[in-house]
Amino acid sequence: MVSIEAWFMDDSDEEQRMPHKRNPNEPVSLEELEKLGVFYWKLDADIYETDPVLEKIRKDRGYSYSDIITIHKDTLPNYEDKLKMFFEVHLHLDDEIRYILDGRAYFDVRDREDRWIRISMSKGDLITLPAGIYHRFTLTETNYTKAMRLFVGEPVWKAYNRPADEFEIRQKYIEGLSGGIE
């Protein structure tokens, strides 16, 4: 069975790399994430270069471009500044697709009621965040991840920090949710 660990976050301002689970924990199911347009696969990251399952996903979804980024203080220039930038609440005009090849990280997304959901990512996890969803990214306490970034066509790196409600893609995203976000 395909599974992912996700939960509603607490309101703590504590270090962003901590889990921030509520007490008691309030898990979020894969089905709930899919209603927000977030999709997930568990793959074998040890064979990512030749994996037929990854190749089929890429073909079916049109992911024609990819690269690999290693996020660690020894490999990423301006490491702390980049982590702060990744953690700014933003959206993209295209889907964000990430495949964790090693290490761990978190993606946080906003639900219909504007609550944060934290998605725990580890080796083998592939996730797509829909264009127009408010989200952010951070590492865990391990301070390391290696990820494949996938794109439809040429990569677009532009993030639009919140508020960005004026974008047509944001409006389309909200309209696609039953009940809307606020």
Side-chain angles (χ1 to χ4, degrees), residues 56-164:
K56 180 172 179 7
I57 292 168
R58 290 183 69 158
K59 183 179 181 210
D60 291 351
R61 299 182 69 92
Y63 301 156
S64 56
Y65 178 91
S66 68
D67 70 4
I68 295 175
I69 183 171
T70 300
I71 304 174
H72 183 269
K73 65 180 175 62
D74 295 335
T75 60
L76 185 65
N78 303 314
Y79 171 77
E80 289 295 337
D81 291 337
K82 293 277 185 173
L83 280 185
K84 286 177 187 162
M85 181 183 73
F86 297 156
F87 201 64
E88 288 290 322
V89 180
H90 63 279
L91 60 77
H92 299 285
L93 304 183
D94 298 300
D95 291 354
E96 181 162 328
I97 308 106
R98 298 294 182 266
Y99 179 20
I100 304 299
L101 302 176
D102 197 18
R104 296 179 49 227
Y106 295 124
F107 275 99
D108 300 336
V109 297
R110 291 285 192 176
D111 78 347
R112 289 175 181 80
E113 287 80 42
D114 210 33
R115 298 173 296 182
W116 280 117
I117 296 171
R118 176 150 279 187
I119 303 166
S120 180
M121 301 285 294
S122 59
K123 184 176 179 176
D125 291 339
L126 172 64
I127 195 170
T128 63
L129 305 180
I133 192 172
Y134 283 124
H135 66 283
R136 62 190 182 190
F137 170 86
T138 192
L139 294 176
T140 67
E141 320 82 67
T142 63
N143 291 308
Y144 165 74
T145 196
K146 179 178 178 181
M148 177 183 288
R149 302 181 288 193
L150 297 122
F151 298 88
V152 175
E154 289 297 310
V156 178
W157 303 105
K158 182 73 175 144
Y160 299 92
N161 288 348
R162 188 173 187 176

